Amino acid sequence: MAEISTLPAFLMEYPLLKLAAIDIGSNAVRCQISAVLHYGDRYRLKRVEYVRYPLRLGEDVFATGTISDKKQEKFIKFLHALKLLMEVHDVAPNHYLVCATSAMRTAANGAEVAARIERELGMKVLVIDGQDEAAYINRVIEHLLEDKKHYLHIDVGGGSTEFNIYHDRRKVASQSFEIGSIRRMQQEESGLASTAAQNDLWQRMEEWVKENARRYHVTRAIGTGGNINKLYSIAQPQQLDKSVTRRRIATVLHNLTSMSMDERVNVAMLNPDRADVIVPAGHIYLSAMEWANVHQMIVPDIGLKDGMLQTLFEEHFDEIRAREDHSLTVPFPTPQSRPTEVE
């Protein structure tokens, strides 16, 4: 009789429910897969996979108005790779979200590309507007706020900038402007930065921030997005605190502005797709802080993908609870209780 071997317990597969978010931005496509952990009365989302690829849809769209055939082919291939990655991680078909922002909603062929993705890969892409994007991020931002404090939230993407005002933990105002890091970079490179239309848009953005910061007595800023995360890591290399001063951001921006692209890549050690957009993005963050007259910014390293994962957690909470019901020892929290994000 053949000998039957028993695997040690630590080699047996440990079942985990996993959720995934794919954020199709104007500069990069990001995919995060997180496992839902539950112990006692506490839920946590633990990141098990993170992939970022600088597809730069905005380069095409903001210059020509469409996504080129060449860029489409890369797009399809990368999403196919992410689909396979999610399958390897056993992410169920209804346990992931794919959201596209400024570049896809601006592209004349954005709907056509989204339809092609669904036809060829079976993946539905939600092309969301600035308000939807802000709503996703709000799901995770609101848990960082303190009572009786008033904040300006600034999120700079490749194609747009989203502002939210929080007054005593409530979002009281929000606005999206079609100004972003790639748009600004292209305007500066082409000499179009001083056109009347762009000056008018910048002026309207300044007026909105000034008026609402004054009305709601804003005293703090919160910054989200890849560029402010990188500026923060340069400004605060020890990361002893999640806040950074406006003066420190200005100093870092001044130093980066004085560098060539080669120096930014080889001395500052920035990725090429970050090195060219970080300065125009940084100027938007810094300008908004100046308009709001705030001197400190919290940089929590969260964004759209985190809000998407929180949304998935809440939508599937009953399913998650049923899955874990056999181990219940204490009451479960409500779906609105945000699971803690851990590395």
Side-chain angles (χ1 to χ4, degrees):
M1 179 181 293
E3 182 179 350
I4 300 176
S5 61
T6 303
L7 287 173
F10 67 85
L11 290 180
M12 296 175 65
E13 183 178 356
Y14 189 89
L16 288 172
L17 186 143
K18 295 175 184 176
L19 308 172
I22 299 175
D23 167 12
I24 302 168
S26 301
N27 191 38
V29 178
R30 302 168 182 84
C31 173
Q32 180 167 320
I33 300 174
S34 292
V36 180
L37 304 183
H38 169 247
Y39 188 76
D41 63 347
R42 186 182 181 193
Y43 283 99
R44 290 182 296 169
L45 289 178
K46 177 175 173 55
R47 186 170 72 182
V48 295
E49 197 78 67
Y50 177 73
V51 182
R52 176 186 181 274
Y53 177 67
L55 185 64
R56 292 215 150 175
L57 292 178
E59 277 187 337
D60 279 2
V61 176
F62 305 142
T64 68
T66 62
I67 301 170
S68 67
D69 291 342
K70 182 178 179 181
K71 194 77 77 173
Q72 283 187 49
E73 295 309 314
K74 281 192 173 185
F75 195 6
I76 295 289
K77 285 181 180 178
F78 186 60
L79 286 181
H80 188 203
L82 294 181
K83 181 181 180 181
L84 294 175
L85 183 64
M86 290 190 294
E87 288 177 3
V88 168
H89 277 282
D90 296 319
V91 177
N94 64 331
H95 286 172
Y96 72 85
L97 272 176
V98 185
C99 290
T101 56
S102 183
M104 281 281 281
R105 68 176 176 252
T106 303
N109 60 344
E112 177 186 326
V113 173
R116 179 185 172 188
I117 291 167
E118 186 166 10
R119 183 173 65 251
E120 295 186 14
L121 300 178
M123 302 172 73
K124 184 173 180 58
V125 177
L126 302 176
V127 181
I128 60 176
D129 61 23
Q131 295 302 310
D132 289 333
E133 188 174 352
Y136 276 118
I137 299 175
N138 178 63
R139 289 176 180 264
V140 284
I141 285 288
E142 63 185 10
H143 299 280
L144 303 173
L145 309 180
E146 297 179 33
D147 291 332
K148 299 181 180 178
K149 303 293 183 182
H150 316 308
Y151 302 83
L152 168 67
H153 170 223
I154 311 160
D155 184 79
V156 180
S160 65
T161 296
E162 323 299 332
F163 292 110
N164 298 287
I165 302 286
Y166 293 91
H167 186 268
D168 198 14
R169 298 181 66 91
R170 290 188 308 109
K171 185 164 77 169
V172 292
S174 64
Q175 187 64 50
S176 177
F177 293 91
E178 294 297 298
I179 296 176
S181 59
I182 292 181
R183 288 186 196 267
R184 292 285 292 176
M185 179 185 69
Q186 289 181 336
Q187 290 158 8
E188 290 167 4
E189 289 177 349
S190 63
L192 297 177
S194 60
T195 64
Q198 290 305 317
N199 284 342
D200 179 64
L201 186 57
W202 188 266
Q203 182 66 31
R204 285 192 284 116
M205 187 164 73
E206 177 180 352
E207 290 172 357
W208 189 93
V209 172
K210 283 183 175 179
E211 178 184 345
N212 285 278
R214 177 188 53 78
R215 177 183 299 172
Y216 297 108
H217 311 289
V218 165
T219 56
R220 298 183 180 186
I222 299 177
T224 56
N227 287 298
I228 194 62
N229 289 337
K230 180 55 67 174
L231 285 169
Y232 170 80
S233 69
I234 297 172
Q236 307 277 72
Q238 302 302 316
Q239 298 192 356
L240 299 176
D241 190 3
K242 280 295 180 184
S243 65
V244 61
T245 64
R246 190 172 89 196
R247 177 177 294 182
R248 186 64 185 141
I249 294 173
T251 299
V252 171
L253 272 179
H254 175 76
N255 292 338
L256 289 173
T257 302
S258 67
M259 292 181 174
S260 65
M261 268 293 292
D262 281 346
E263 289 172 328
R264 292 182 196 177
V265 172
N266 296 294
V267 179
M269 301 298 289
L270 298 176
N271 290 331
D273 66 286
R274 182 71 65 204
D276 57 354
V277 296
I278 193 168
V279 170
H283 285 149
I284 298 174
Y285 287 106
L286 191 61
S287 296
M289 291 182 75
E290 291 171 350
W291 297 334
N293 194 29
V294 294
H295 300 277
Q296 201 86 9
M297 176 181 280
I298 301 166
V299 186
D301 192 17
I302 57 175
L304 177 59
K305 60 181 174 53
D306 303 281
M308 292 163 65
L309 289 166
Q310 168 68 8
T311 299
L312 285 166
F313 173 81
E314 293 179 7
E315 287 180 352
H316 296 285
F317 182 79
D318 288 341
E319 177 188 341
I320 293 168
R321 178 170 57 183
R323 181 187 177 106
E324 300 289 343
D325 198 49
H326 63 278
S327 61
L328 258 181
T329 56
V330 292
F332 277 79
T334 63
Q336 287 71 30
S337 298
R338 180 179 185 268
T340 307
E341 182 75 44
V342 293
E343 295 295 328

